Amino acid sequence: MVNQIVIVTGAGNGIGKSIAIAYAAEGAKVAVVDKDRTAGEKTVQTIYQQGGDARFFQIDVRSPQEIINCVEEVQTLFGHINILINNAGVSAFHNVYDLTVAEWDDVINTNLRGAFVFSREVAKVMRHNKIGGSIINIASTRAFMSEPNSEAYAASKGGISALTHALALSLSEDGIRVNAISPGWIETGDYDALRSVDHRQHPANRVGKPDDVARACIFLTDPRNDFITGENIIIDGGMTRKMIYEH
Ligand code: ADP
């Protein structure tokens, strides 16, 4: 990954932070994108402390214009963009009877439209520079299975899953691969409930770690794995493969 330029959105916290740190550890230069300045700058600081190279870009992915400006700035600063990780997102849960159109739009515009606009803008740079590239969309197991009151989130993640294979076809001529990762429960904070209850949903008998997702990103974007595109890798300790049965 040495000399690779990587954009990671939502890299101030959780899964995105781990992904940014993992790429920097592999020698990549990382554009840390987040709307949260304090969190984003902390990620950059961590990367520097570990001997890596990163820059923070504060934007809101709900704003197409801010995305366009950000991609231009990254291209100007680093000269190219090799990898884009669309990870910024919100996990909103509302009772479906009270879910307003404004709340729906907010989740879709963050999780789905943001990934589309970022992909479109980065793909333009990759096409122009003629050395291909790789895009990863962080989806969710909620693209395939549901819990109550998750309509907007589930639709955004189902959408990003379909966006992945649509883009993979459209961008293949320009040597751009597009894949998704669908994580199960990932422990990104100090959530006792996650450890004490949710691990039971995973046949692996633990919740996931952000690094479980970060390692898969590195694998998928490794140029040696360039026969993989349009794929959606589920990283959920077997949860979506589990049959519920009672004797
Ligand atoms: P996860 O547990 O899935 O990693 P987090 O909430 O810990 O989720 O991290 C999501 C990151 O995405 C946060 O750092 C948050 O600030 C960022 N984010 C959320 N919405 C936006 C947005 N509209 N624009 C930019 N970044 C965003």
Side-chain angles (χ1 to χ4, degrees):
M1 295 288 162
V2 176
N3 293 328
Q4 299 276 294
I5 314 300
V6 185
I7 297 179
V8 184
T9 72
N13 291 289
I15 295 170
K17 180 176 186 173
S18 285
I19 294 171
I21 291 170
Y23 274 104
E26 295 280 328
K29 293 184 173 64
V30 183
V32 169
V33 173
D34 208 290
K35 69 176 164 78
D36 181 339
R37 173 169 290 280
T38 311
E41 285 180 343
K42 226 168 162 182
T43 301
V44 169
Q45 203 184 357
T46 305
I47 287 173
Y48 271 105
Q49 279 163 357
Q50 297 178 0
D53 193 358
R55 274 286 292 271
F56 175 59
F57 297 84
Q58 184 182 27
I59 68 154
D60 187 329
V61 299
R62 288 170 295 186
S63 161
Q65 193 55 52
E66 286 185 30
I67 294 173
I68 290 167
N69 297 346
C70 174
V71 171
E72 208 179 295
E73 273 180 54
V74 175
Q75 149 86 347
T76 307
L77 184 73
F78 292 119
H80 187 54
I81 301 165
N82 302 92
I83 294 167
L84 166 67
I85 314 289
N86 282 310
N87 164 80
V90 285
S91 52
F93 293 88
H94 293 272
N95 183 304
V96 65
Y97 294 105
D98 301 328
L99 178 65
T100 66
V101 167
E103 286 161 346
W104 168 273
D105 285 349
D106 194 56
V107 176
I108 298 293
N109 290 348
T110 307
N111 296 3
L112 182 55
R113 195 183 68 187
F116 159 64
V117 178
F118 242 116
S119 300
R120 186 190 67 194
E121 293 308 305
V122 167
K124 283 182 198 167
V125 172
M126 290 171 170
R127 179 174 62 171
H128 180 262
N129 291 346
K130 291 190 168 54
I131 55 169
S134 202
I135 297 174
I136 294 187
N137 295 318
I138 303 299
S140 167
T141 45
R142 298 306 177 277
F144 313 109
M145 63 196 302
S146 291
E147 62 200 294
N149 304 320
S150 63
E151 281 67 27
Y153 183 74
S156 75
K157 294 303 186 178
I160 212 169
S161 176
L163 174 69
T164 300
H165 56 74
L167 282 173
L169 288 201
S170 305
L171 303 181
S172 64
E173 267 186 22
D174 291 309
I176 303 168
R177 297 186 297 118
V178 189
N179 290 290
I181 294 174
S182 290
W185 293 107
I186 304 292
E187 183 182 344
T188 55
D190 189 21
Y191 302 130
D192 280 346
L194 212 56
R195 272 192 293 274
S196 60
V197 182
D198 295 326
H199 69 89
R200 284 193 230 125
Q201 296 184 37
H202 297 143
N205 202 33
R206 68 169 175 90
V207 290
K209 299 187 178 83
D211 270 348
D212 292 324
V213 179
R215 280 193 304 277
C217 288
I218 303 278
F219 171 81
L220 284 171
T221 56
D222 185 328
R224 287 173 298 181
N225 297 322
D226 67 358
F227 204 47
I228 307 175
T229 193
E231 182 56 272
N232 186 345
I233 295 189
I234 298 172
I235 300 182
D236 70 348
M239 180 170 66
T240 49
R241 299 291 185 243
K242 184 167 145 187
M243 186 187 286
I244 307 291
Y245 63 93
E246 287 173 17
H247 293 284

